[in-house]
Amino acid sequence: MKFAYRFSNLLGTVYRRGNLNFTCDGNSVISPVGNRVTVFDLKNNKSDTLPLATRYNVKSVGLSPDGRLAIIVDEGGDALLVSLVCRSVLHHFHFKGSVHSVSFSPSGRKFVVTKGNIAQMYHAPGKKREFNAFVLDKTYFGPYDETTCIDWTDDSRCFVVGSKDMSTWVFGAERWDNLIYYALGGHKDAIVACFFESNSLDLYSLSQDGVLCVWQCDTPPEGLRLKPPAGWKADLLQREEEEEEEDQEGDRETTIRGKATPAEEEKTGKVKYSRLAKYFFNKEGDFNNLTAAAFHKKSHLLVTGFASGIFHLHELPEFNLIHSLSISDQSIASVAINSSGDWIAFGCSGLGQLLVWEWQSESYVLKQQGHFNSMVTLAYSPDGQYIVTGGDDGKVKVWNTLSGFCFVTFTEHSSGVTGVTFTATGYVVVTSSMDGTVRAFDLHRYRNFRTFTSPRPTQFSCVAVDASGEIVSAGAQDSFEIFVWSMQTGRLLDVLSGHEGPISGLCFNPMKSILASASWDKTVRLWDMFDSWRTKETLALTSDALAVTFRPDGAELAVATLNSQITFWDPENAVQTGSIEGRHDLKTGRKELDKITAKHAAKGKAFTTLCYSADGQSILAGGMSKFVCIYHVHEQILMKRFEISCNLSLDAMEEFLNRRKMTEFGNLALIDQDAGQEDGVAIPLPGVRKGDMSSRHFKPEIRVTSLRFSPTGRCWAATTTEGLLIYSLDTRVLFDPFELDTSVTPGRVREALRQQDFTRAILMALRLNESKLVQEALEAVPRGEIEVVTSSLPELYVEKVLEFLASSFEVSRHLEFYLLWTHKLLMLHGQKLKSRAGTLLPVIQFLQKSIQRHLDDLSKLCSWNRYNMQYALAVSKQRGMKRSLEPLGSEEEEEASEDDSLHLLGGGGRDSEEGMLA
């Protein structure tokens, strides 16, 4: 149970590429993040990453009309059928080609995918169990170039497909006699989006050069006629179709081949389209590529996003401009509108931005952005509620672990951030950067209140703060010195010299005033703060030191070296107590352009980040690999290896090269095959001002840059190429008993409760270790007997009760009852628990985190209610003064003014006052 950690959430990255979707209720946004999918709940202010991953980056997500199913397709054409209700994968499918978009029909019975220059219609998975969830119904040919977008009519009778060959094709979903296919032109660039009007076959098409065409159909949807079967086989065919529909089996695959210019005899008696209008988004002289669009049929609202980061809101079909705003300096990759038409979601893949805009009030509902470049370092706050991350983009972001959102970003650094840490209070963040500054940020006022610099400009590679929060130290990469400042005054206290190589890591002993510094000169030095910063000990290593960390109780020191070893030292006696050889556990992959195998490349790889668990019994290690290893410190064995990603869109993921990419002319990875794509290099022709020849595609290499264990011991976090990954204890492991014997059963627990033997019932429930049973036993204790029961609990079980109470605070409504239990336990057993403070610290911090969250929520509510009551009292007092001063004739005016003041509180009359006081 202790190492049953599983992936729980992905922070730090909110959008990569692909299409955004709103859920049916319009309250949540579904965003593709690399090879995962994150759901942002806008009403409850939470983000949650689904526990699934595709083989490559997600390219398209299709949502069923009832919101229960989603089809997630990656860049390689692999699809996952996912249940959003139980958050699990139901079916795997391969489309045998790159899919551009997926769209369910409004009826939910069919879905269409655009693949290459064709569109394929499949039977949507039903509510019954099926051997093959995806059954191909029809394949539609017609466009000459790649198909890009899909839209359905409201009655699911027809769908329209846009293409890069500047044509738009309308296809019938059934065998209509008067509409099999229809090709529309009129554009001079690739089609970005096409939409049907509500309950009509009229449609709008938008091209990349910013042109909107309005098309009118001469036939209503009800005018479509089914094609009757001809000849003597008519009855037989009809009978076969009816039998197939009854059995709910897919029709045999049929192929429909469209022609751009059909013969005149083929046009007779068919549906006809005519162009009503043509509108231009770009003014004369301007050129701004249209990159994404969305249309809300009920309100006739068209949202268009452009490559310059501007978006427009128009009302159709009159093309009236409602609103225009620049939300980013990067291209808008995806646009989505929720069901009510109030909220608009925008995704910008260049900066990894996700924005939700309420256009009527012109305000942001959500504004999130990850680190532009890779995340380098992270730190947990002392109570485990917040995580601070630093990136190569020079930004420092603070994330809430409960909601998953970033709530403050500091941009004062002008170069990459190399180290971040919290002070012991949890309200100050200290960061180091390559720009030559160490900065302290206040989380109360969200400002940079201290900036520490060195006498000569230098690049800082790491930072550490002592347990009191008074001393700040940072290691230099170029001058090989350690600088020490005072947090109170900001003055430089000392410069520690002695290392002969760049400083790679700093760490203060949590219990003593000792600073450990690791360097590339193959030494770790221990500096005594109370002895004028003299070198207390010098630990000689066999290779360059890359990371150093103290155990939470300060009795042990771990160092990661360049030869893939982790060595353990006793800091008091400067004696090595153990070592772990980790080269074979790291298991690095082979990059696409590597000339040597992964086995030989692994000789130059090592662990670059270390972190002890909260109880100090195990250690986490990670580096230039897709694996994070967790070792048992005392036994010095590998306990578990976590694979942080299976995304083949990243480099160094596979151990062996793919032979299919090797040709007689060299590796295909050397060729920029994505040139000319919508997000690739637009190759310009002579005399054409378009494209940026300096832009290139590259595959980021998988790596783990930093690891930290939560002080609560319930989870750990890793900054990786994928983002900030959170792994938490797997609560699904139901049966994990403690000192169990045959006499302990749920029946015996309930029997003890009936006999009001509460202590025995609680002890047996804790030995079974089933949370529901423990909850039943604790809540059966009367309020007046809590003190008696807590005093009779053995010391060994007090820790388990406290741990259960901490986890219960997150979900239970019985706040006062559990607070009473916590208070009695700590008051009665406080002295005994204090003697075991080292081992109990994670449980106490977990308890503090849970209580602090409730305190923050309730304090805001209470202060708001107190303010409202003070306001109501002030109004009534003012009214009493007026009544004593003014004549009787002005009573009506007083009542009117009273009603106005009550309206300010949220409503008029007696009902609103009662609601406010409640």
Side-chain angles (χ1 to χ4, degrees):
M1 177 71 177
K2 193 172 284 186
F3 297 101
Y5 291 94
R6 65 183 177 90
F7 172 79
S8 65
N9 209 353
L10 170 64
L11 311 182
T13 315
V14 290
Y15 175 76
R16 281 276 173 82
R17 61 169 300 184
N19 63 314
L20 298 169
N21 286 277
F22 273 99
T23 51
C24 296
D25 56 7
N27 295 336
S28 301
V29 179
I30 297 175
S31 170
V33 183
N35 68 331
R36 300 182 184 272
V37 173
T38 303
V39 181
F40 294 94
D41 189 343
L42 304 176
K43 286 282 187 185
N44 299 316
N45 193 37
K46 279 193 176 182
S47 72
D48 188 26
T49 305
L50 298 179
L52 51 93
T54 54
R55 294 179 69 238
Y56 293 90
N57 283 337
V58 175
K59 194 172 184 182
S60 181
V61 178
L63 206 61
S64 65
D66 59 2
R68 293 173 177 270
L69 296 176
I71 296 174
I72 301 169
V73 189
D74 65 17
E75 293 169 344
D78 285 308
L80 300 178
L81 176 65
V82 178
S83 167
L84 296 178
V85 179
C86 59
R87 295 156 47 88
S88 58
V89 178
L90 304 178
H91 187 67
H92 293 261
F93 190 77
H94 187 59
F95 282 112
K96 298 176 183 174
S98 180
V99 171
H100 197 284
S101 55
V102 184
S103 180
F104 275 87
S105 66
S107 65
R109 298 182 61 189
K110 304 282 177 73
F111 70 89
V112 171
V113 297
T114 55
K115 182 184 75 172
N117 66 335
I118 62 171
Q120 290 183 322
M121 185 165 69
Y122 288 81
H123 290 280
K127 294 179 182 177
K128 292 170 62 179
R129 287 187 178 181
E130 294 163 322
F131 178 72
N132 185 7
F134 292 0
V135 179
L136 181 62
D137 184 17
K138 296 181 182 70
T139 303
Y140 297 87
F141 291 85
Y144 296 102
D145 206 342
E146 283 186 39
T147 46
T148 56
C149 52
I150 313 163
D151 191 50
W152 286 84
T153 54
D154 288 342
D155 53 8
S156 305
R157 294 181 172 213
C158 304
F159 64 92
V160 61
V161 172
S163 170
K164 286 186 179 177
D165 66 0
M166 303 174 282
S167 64
T168 309
W169 293 75
V170 183
F171 292 109
E174 303 291 340
R175 298 186 182 123
W176 305 120
D177 186 29
N178 51 346
L179 177 59
I180 301 170
Y181 64 88
Y182 201 100
L184 302 168
H187 287 282
K188 295 180 181 178
D189 210 337
I191 305 298
V192 173
C194 43
F195 307 105
F196 278 108
E197 187 58 86
S198 179
N199 297 314
S200 171
L201 290 177
D202 299 348
L203 62 91
Y204 307 100
S205 58
L206 295 98
S207 60
Q208 198 171 329
D209 56 356
V211 175
L212 167 70
C213 288
V214 183
W215 304 92
Q216 186 180 35
C217 183
D218 63 351
T219 309
E222 300 80 27
L224 295 175
R225 307 184 301 272
L226 275 172
K227 191 173 185 178
W232 60 273
K233 293 184 179 179
D235 296 334
L236 181 63
L237 286 170
Q238 194 170 357
R239 198 179 303 123
E240 283 180 2
E241 285 179 13
E242 286 172 0
E243 285 174 4
E244 285 176 356
E245 283 179 5
E246 283 173 9
D247 295 338
Q248 291 186 348
E249 292 179 0
D251 295 338
R252 287 171 295 177
E253 181 197 345
T254 56
T255 303
I256 295 170
R257 298 185 180 274
K259 300 176 187 174
T261 53
E264 287 297 325
E265 57 269 16
E266 291 182 25
K267 293 182 183 178
T268 54
K270 306 288 184 186
V271 166
K272 286 188 176 63
Y273 275 92
S274 57
R275 192 173 74 195
L276 277 184
K278 191 173 186 178
Y279 300 108
F280 299 90
F281 289 95
N282 295 321
K283 297 175 183 176
E284 288 185 18
D286 292 345
F287 185 77
N288 194 2
N289 268 359
L290 191 148
T291 53
F295 180 59
H296 191 256
K297 295 184 180 181
K298 292 177 184 175
S299 58
H300 304 281
L301 187 72
L302 176 70
V303 187
T304 48
F306 293 85
S308 61
I310 296 172
F311 77 90
H312 297 317
L313 264 70
H314 285 88
E315 187 182 16
L316 295 181
E318 292 83 11
F319 199 66
N320 298 327
L321 180 65
I322 300 171
H323 191 58
S324 179
L325 188 72
S326 175
I327 56 168
S328 175
D329 54 1
Q330 294 281 328
S331 171
I332 296 174
S334 180
V335 180
I337 309 179
N338 73 342
S339 52
S340 63
D342 297 328
W343 292 349
I344 306 166
F346 299 97
C348 304
S349 56
L351 289 175
Q353 286 178 313
L354 178 63
L355 311 163
V356 179
W357 176 260
E358 188 172 44
W359 65 274
Q360 288 170 330
S361 64
E362 298 186 11
S363 60
Y364 285 110
V365 178
L366 174 73
K367 189 177 183 182
Q368 290 286 302
Q369 178 181 340
H371 286 279
F372 175 59
N373 288 329
S374 59
M375 275 184 278
V376 175
T377 178
L378 86 140
Y380 265 100
S381 64
D383 60 359
Q385 283 203 68
Y386 306 119
I387 293 176
V388 60
T389 58
D392 283 335
D393 55 359
K395 291 181 181 176
V396 177
K397 290 178 174 284
V398 188
W399 307 82
N400 188 319
T401 55
L402 294 170
S403 68
F405 288 123
C406 169
F407 62 90
V408 62
T409 301
F410 300 109
T411 58
E412 280 79 4
H413 282 297
S414 57
S415 187
V417 178
T418 55
V420 294
T421 184
F422 273 94
T423 58
T425 60
Y427 297 115
V428 176
V429 173
V430 183
T431 62
S432 62
S433 171
M434 301 291 274
D435 63 2
T437 62
V438 172
R439 295 177 184 269
F441 300 96
D442 181 6
L443 291 187
H444 280 305
R445 298 179 181 84
Y446 301 137
R447 64 189 180 96
N448 174 206
F449 71 94
R450 284 278 185 276
T451 302
F452 310 101
T453 56
S454 56
R456 294 185 307 277
T458 186
Q459 293 181 322
F460 293 114
S461 57
C462 49
V463 69
V465 180
D466 77 327
S468 66
E470 295 296 323
I471 302 297
V472 178
S473 65
Q477 192 167 335
D478 42 8
S479 65
F480 313 155
E481 294 170 327
I482 300 165
F483 297 86
V484 183
W485 297 274
S486 165
M487 179 73 84
Q488 288 288 337
T489 62
R491 290 175 56 193
L492 181 66
L493 299 177
D494 209 341
V495 179
L496 310 181
S497 303
H499 280 295
E500 298 171 3
I503 312 298
S504 56
L506 291 175
C507 187
F508 272 100
N509 190 322
M511 301 300 170
K512 296 180 181 178
S513 56
I514 302 292
L515 173 68
S517 62
S519 171
W520 292 7
D521 63 2
K522 302 183 183 179
T523 63
V524 169
R525 289 176 181 260
L526 302 178
W527 312 83
D528 194 341
M529 186 170 67
F530 288 153
D531 192 13
S532 303
W533 292 104
R534 288 181 187 168
T535 307
K536 187 184 175 188
E537 296 288 352
T538 301
L539 311 179
L541 306 170
T542 56
S543 187
D544 299 6
L546 302 179
V548 62
T549 183
F550 273 102
R551 205 165 69 184
D553 62 359
E556 191 175 66
L557 183 74
V559 185
T561 53
L562 192 60
N563 58 359
S564 301
Q565 280 190 347
I566 303 170
T567 54
F568 300 98
W569 299 79
D570 178 2
E572 280 296 315
N573 305 313
V575 177
Q576 184 175 338
T577 57
S579 68
I580 294 171
E581 180 65 51
R583 178 171 290 142
H584 300 295
D585 301 329
L586 202 57
K587 272 205 170 180
T588 55
R590 182 170 180 174
K591 292 192 283 187
E592 284 186 337
L593 301 179
D594 273 354
K595 303 295 183 186
I596 57 174
T597 61
K599 188 176 180 181
H600 287 291
K603 292 177 182 176
K605 302 292 173 66
F607 293 120
T608 56
T609 176
L610 291 177
C611 173
Y612 273 99
S613 62
D615 57 5
Q617 293 183 10
S618 54
I619 192 166
L620 280 168
M624 299 281 284
S625 166
K626 63 178 179 178
F627 292 107
V628 170
C629 302
I630 186 163
Y631 294 96
H632 194 283
V633 175
H634 184 66
E635 301 290 339
Q636 296 175 11
I637 56 170
L638 178 69
M639 301 203 67
K640 190 172 175 65
R641 189 165 55 199
F642 297 92
E643 186 178 8
I644 57 169
S645 179
C646 59
N647 188 0
L648 297 178
S649 296
L650 302 174
D651 209 356
M653 284 295 296
E654 296 179 286
E655 193 175 348
F656 303 102
L657 275 183
N658 190 344
R659 296 295 175 190
R660 284 178 290 186
K661 291 183 179 177
M662 299 302 293
T663 66
E664 57 182 317
F665 305 107
N667 195 339
L668 286 175
L670 291 166
I671 304 167
D672 198 359
Q673 292 179 316
D674 292 324
Q677 299 285 331
E678 68 270 10
D679 54 350
V681 185
I683 299 175
L685 296 170
V688 178
R689 291 183 300 171
K690 183 183 177 185
D692 179 10
M693 293 303 289
S694 67
S695 65
R696 285 290 181 272
H697 277 266
F698 69 96
K699 290 178 77 171
E701 185 181 352
I702 185 71
R703 67 174 68 181
V704 179
T705 51
S706 185
L707 289 166
R708 289 293 178 272
F709 232 99
S710 170
T712 63
R714 308 284 297 179
C715 53
W716 56 271
T719 52
T720 68
T721 315
E722 289 275 46
L724 176 59
L725 303 175
I726 309 288
Y727 285 79
S728 58
L729 275 174
D730 192 351
T731 53
R732 294 174 301 175
V733 181
L734 293 176
F735 191 61
D736 184 30
F738 172 71
E739 294 185 356
L740 188 66
D741 58 34
T742 53
S743 64
V744 180
T745 61
R748 293 279 179 89
V749 174
R750 293 187 176 96
E751 185 183 338
L753 287 175
R754 283 194 295 272
Q755 295 171 2
Q756 295 193 350
D757 190 352
F758 299 116
T759 306
R760 189 164 66 90
I762 290 169
L763 292 179
M764 284 196 292
L766 288 169
R767 287 171 73 179
L768 276 170
N769 204 9
E770 287 191 16
S771 57
K772 291 283 177 68
L773 202 60
V774 177
Q775 181 184 349
E776 186 182 336
L778 283 177
E779 291 180 0
V781 179
R783 180 191 176 96
E785 296 202 22
I786 291 176
E787 189 169 357
V788 178
V789 173
T790 50
S791 62
S792 60
L793 282 176
E795 189 181 341
L796 189 62
Y797 289 88
V798 172
E799 181 185 346
K800 294 197 168 292
V801 176
L802 284 173
E803 192 172 350
F804 173 78
L805 289 171
S807 57
S808 298
F809 274 121
E810 296 186 341
V811 291
S812 178
R813 297 177 183 176
H814 306 304
L815 189 58
E816 187 187 359
F817 183 74
Y818 283 131
L819 279 173
L820 197 61
W821 265 99
T822 309
H823 181 254
K824 297 296 182 188
L825 280 168
L826 294 175
M827 289 297 288
L828 291 167
H829 298 273
Q831 289 299 323
K832 291 179 183 177
L833 294 174
K834 200 171 182 180
S835 62
R836 299 193 299 128
T839 55
L840 279 173
L841 193 61
V843 176
I844 300 299
Q845 285 179 324
F846 183 35
L847 193 65
Q848 182 193 356
K849 175 188 172 184
S850 304
I851 296 172
Q852 185 68 38
R853 184 172 65 87
H854 283 294
L855 176 65
D856 294 343
D857 293 343
L858 285 172
S859 60
K860 289 176 187 174
L861 185 64
C862 291
S863 60
W864 173 246
N865 286 345
R866 190 169 57 190
Y867 164 75
N868 280 342
M869 284 189 274
Q870 286 171 354
Y871 182 78
L873 289 169
V875 167
S876 62
K877 189 176 179 182
Q878 188 181 15
R879 182 188 167 203
M881 288 173 65
K882 278 187 180 180
R883 193 176 274 171
S884 62
L885 293 172
E886 293 183 3
L888 294 170
S890 59
E891 282 185 5
E892 293 178 5
E893 293 177 10
E894 287 176 20
E895 289 175 6
S897 66
E898 182 188 0
D899 287 344
D900 290 342
S901 63
L902 286 171
H903 274 292
L904 286 170
L905 286 171
R910 182 179 167 189
D911 293 338
S912 63
E913 189 175 7
E914 288 174 359
M916 178 267 298
L917 289 171

